[in-house]
Amino acid sequence: MASKLEEDFTCPVCCDIFTDPVLLSCSHSFCKDCLQQYWGTNGSRECPVCRRRSSKEHPPVSLTLKNLCETFLQEKSQSASAGSEVLCSLHSEKLKLFCLEDKQPVCLVCRDSKQHTNHKFLPIDEAVSALKEELKIRLEPLQKKLKVFEEAKRTSDQTAEHLKTQAKHTEKMIKEEFEKLHLFLRDEEAARIAALREEEEQKSQMMKEKIENMGREISSLSDTIRAIEEKMGADDITFLQNYKSTVERAQCTLQDPERVSGALINVAKHLGNLKFRVWEKMQEIVQYTPVTLDPNTAHPTLILSEDLTSVRQGDENQQLPDNPERFDKYACVLGSEGFNSGTHCWDVEVGENTWWNVGVMTESLQRKGNFTTMSGRWYVWYKDGEYGARSTPQSSTLVTVKQKLQRIRVQLDWDRGELSFSDPDNNTHLHTLTHTFTERVFPYFNVDEISPFIISPVKALVTVEQFR
């Protein structure tokens, strides 16, 4: 009977119990994968048994047959388990107890043997229940660890994908910036060639006029010489009769032709220090900002400009990887370059924002969660019409400002341990924080407004150093 039942649950293609059985219109059933593979091999949708063509590319799954197959396999497994009961290897008795000391199942004879003297035992069913509970507790740390690794993998997958997006976008921006430089160079090349052509045309015209004038003088002199020679060839009486007028005509009042000065192309003007002159002029399109924002530190709500010189608050979180450098609680971003020596200065346009922090932050200060009470930040702040300065974890000091700031200048003297803030528009000192810095610090910005924070560019100068 069991053999006949198993035959009814067997796929005609793989000769095994059905897996995800599907039913054809001809009433024959097959494993879903077996049927698709058969159709793929034969190139037509026909029944492997009766060869009748199926009108459906994806025949329906027979849920009833699937449930029957699963029940049959389960009962078969339980039957096999019951029929192969494990016996004690020493006494060929049923294993009914579990030795708590040796951590193994034993029979009743083992319990009474010297090997298990003074050992504690539990019935098999009680031991299984207790030990499963114990293992369940032991599994919890592993399950938690698994979740940690799964989350880390999701973050790594997101980081890997974002990395590709970053590289593609950065390449696009590099090409756009170089195209601007190429356009400037092409325009500059065209302008300089046009200037060369204009000089060539002017001087060629001047030489043309000079040559034409000399041509006319040469023609006049040739005519005079020819006429005098004709008079000299006449008979003596005629020659003497015309001598007076001939002598007068022979008198030359023309000045010798002047040598043309500056007639050649001023090659030195066009080629002298050409690269330097172009570089010097390039300052008109090139800007330098002393601080560039680091997008890898920006909170997901912050939106940075393409050139990384301004930041504003967005409406919602962006899909960004939660890398260790990124702030995840507060709307902060750091400068891309840290300082561990020297003096540094940068201006920030705060505009009409009503809430902000500007200063520096240590490299080691955590960027995840709440770090507001931890040491490692020095900044000035503005909120609800009040200004203040703070060196965490100390409390803030109010700063008096005569009029609302549009820009704020940050001056860091790392070696002397001074961080000064001033109003560059009125050249007014606001406050100075002192601290003995021992590690690298980064420009720090916290903005909670839609209006952008802008790092002001500074004028770049091209200078020439002479030998002394």
Side-chain angles (χ1 to χ4, degrees):
M1 181 67 179
S3 176
K4 175 62 178 171
L5 186 61
E6 185 170 351
E7 183 179 337
D8 292 338
F9 294 153
T10 301
C11 172
V13 176
C14 65
C15 299
D16 204 348
I17 302 300
F18 285 114
T19 302
D20 293 332
V22 294
L23 179 65
L24 297 181
S25 57
C26 60
S27 300
H28 291 120
S29 296
F30 307 91
C31 296
K32 181 180 178 181
D33 290 342
C34 292
L35 182 63
Q36 294 298 331
Q37 186 175 2
Y38 179 84
W39 283 356
T41 302
N42 287 270
S44 61
R45 297 196 301 268
E46 60 180 25
C47 174
V49 175
C50 65
R51 303 295 188 236
R52 181 176 175 181
R53 182 172 180 80
S54 173
S55 60
K56 297 181 179 180
E57 183 178 356
H58 299 287
V61 175
S62 176
L63 295 178
T64 302
L65 181 56
K66 180 180 180 181
N67 293 335
L68 288 172
C69 289
E70 291 176 352
T71 303
F72 173 75
L73 289 173
Q74 186 176 5
E75 292 177 350
K76 184 177 178 182
S77 174
Q78 292 174 350
S79 176
S81 176
S84 57
E85 189 174 39
V86 180
L87 301 177
C88 176
S89 60
L90 296 176
H91 309 107
S92 299
E93 296 288 334
K94 287 185 178 181
L95 301 172
K96 295 185 176 183
L97 301 173
F98 183 78
C99 177
L100 296 177
E101 276 73 15
D102 294 333
K103 305 296 182 186
Q104 62 181 11
V106 296
C107 67
L108 297 177
V109 178
C110 290
R111 178 194 62 184
D112 299 330
S113 66
K114 291 182 180 181
Q115 182 181 354
H116 295 279
T117 301
N118 297 326
H119 287 189
K120 293 181 180 181
F121 301 90
L122 282 177
I124 288 291
D125 57 345
E126 290 184 20
V128 168
S129 178
L131 294 177
K132 282 186 177 180
E133 283 299 319
E134 180 185 337
L135 281 176
K136 186 178 179 181
I137 294 173
R138 290 179 179 272
L139 271 176
E140 289 180 1
L142 294 176
Q143 290 169 340
K144 290 180 180 178
K145 185 67 71 175
L146 175 62
K147 289 182 180 179
V148 170
F149 272 90
E150 287 175 343
E151 181 61 29
K153 184 179 181 299
R154 281 193 292 270
T155 302
S156 297
D157 290 340
Q158 187 181 13
T159 300
E161 192 62 31
H162 186 67
L163 185 152
K164 294 179 182 177
T165 303
Q166 274 189 314
K168 186 175 181 180
H169 177 72
T170 304
E171 180 180 347
K172 174 176 173 289
M173 293 305 301
I174 290 173
K175 289 181 177 179
E176 288 182 2
E177 290 301 310
F178 269 94
E179 181 55 34
K180 293 176 184 177
L181 295 176
H182 295 159
L183 179 61
F184 168 82
L185 291 174
R186 286 194 292 268
D187 290 345
E188 188 66 17
E189 176 188 14
R192 290 178 178 274
I193 290 177
L196 172 63
R197 295 283 183 259
E198 183 180 0
E199 182 181 355
E200 178 190 18
E201 183 176 350
Q202 290 176 350
K203 292 188 173 180
S204 294
Q205 181 64 30
M206 179 187 70
M207 291 304 298
K208 179 181 177 182
E209 292 174 358
K210 208 164 193 63
I211 291 171
E212 288 177 351
N213 288 336
M214 285 190 290
R216 286 192 292 271
E217 297 295 346
I218 290 172
S219 177
S220 175
L221 287 172
S222 297
D223 291 343
T224 300
I225 292 170
R226 189 166 43 254
I228 292 174
E229 288 177 341
E230 287 179 357
K231 296 295 183 180
M232 290 172 63
D235 59 81
D236 295 344
I237 297 300
T238 303
F239 169 74
L240 292 174
Q241 288 176 338
N242 296 323
Y243 174 74
K244 183 178 179 180
S245 61
T246 302
V247 169
E248 291 176 355
R249 189 173 184 180
Q251 292 179 355
C252 182
T253 59
L254 292 176
Q255 298 290 331
D256 288 342
E258 295 181 0
R259 302 186 64 177
V260 181
S261 179
L264 299 179
I265 296 294
N266 190 348
V267 177
K269 171 187 171 183
H270 296 287
L271 293 183
N273 293 312
L274 177 59
K275 296 184 183 68
F276 178 82
R277 298 305 176 196
V278 173
W279 178 38
E280 193 176 36
K281 191 174 180 181
M282 194 177 288
Q283 292 177 92
E284 298 174 6
I285 66 164
V286 174
Q287 284 190 336
Y288 174 78
T289 51
V291 170
T292 301
L293 302 176
D294 184 356
N296 295 334
T297 67
H299 185 274
T301 59
L302 296 182
I303 299 174
L304 275 60
S305 61
E306 295 287 7
D307 61 359
L308 307 179
T309 62
S310 70
V311 57
R312 64 178 177 84
Q313 180 78 259
D315 296 328
E316 57 185 19
N317 280 8
Q318 304 170 81
Q319 293 298 317
L320 299 172
D322 187 23
N323 49 299
E325 300 87 356
R326 192 178 305 281
F327 293 95
D328 67 349
K329 184 175 177 64
Y330 299 108
C332 303
V333 63
L334 298 181
S336 61
E337 183 181 356
F339 311 116
N340 59 1
S341 65
T343 58
H344 310 275
C345 179
W346 59 95
D347 290 353
V348 184
E349 296 180 27
V350 295
E352 297 302 322
N353 288 297
T354 59
W355 191 101
W356 47 260
N357 295 344
V358 174
V360 299
M361 171 176 165
T362 58
E363 185 172 23
S364 62
L365 182 59
Q366 71 174 41
R367 302 174 192 179
K368 306 298 183 184
N370 187 357
F371 54 80
T372 56
T373 59
M374 299 180 181
S375 61
R377 288 184 303 147
W378 300 265
Y379 60 93
V380 292
W381 54 264
Y382 176 68
K383 185 177 181 181
D384 299 330
E386 286 188 331
Y387 293 89
R390 187 183 182 195
S391 174
T392 58
Q394 300 172 15
S395 58
S396 294
T397 300
L398 291 180
V399 175
T400 301
V401 175
K402 293 182 179 180
Q403 61 184 42
K404 191 173 185 296
L405 297 176
Q406 296 297 313
R407 287 196 303 161
I408 185 164
R409 175 165 296 167
V410 184
Q411 291 177 290
L412 170 67
D413 190 331
W414 194 95
D415 300 315
R416 295 180 61 182
E418 292 182 352
L419 183 67
S420 298
F421 302 94
S422 59
D423 179 358
D425 295 326
N426 297 315
N427 196 25
T428 304
H429 175 262
L430 300 175
H431 194 79
T432 296
L433 296 171
T434 59
H435 178 79
T436 303
F437 297 110
T438 58
E439 64 172 296
R440 187 183 300 274
V441 295
F442 287 82
Y444 160 76
F445 309 89
N446 189 347
V447 55
D448 197 23
E449 298 283 343
I450 295 177
S451 299
F453 258 30
I454 302 173
I455 312 297
S456 301
V458 297
K459 185 174 180 61
L461 297 176
V462 177
T463 59
V464 179
E465 183 177 352
Q466 298 286 352
F467 291 108
R468 295 181 180 178

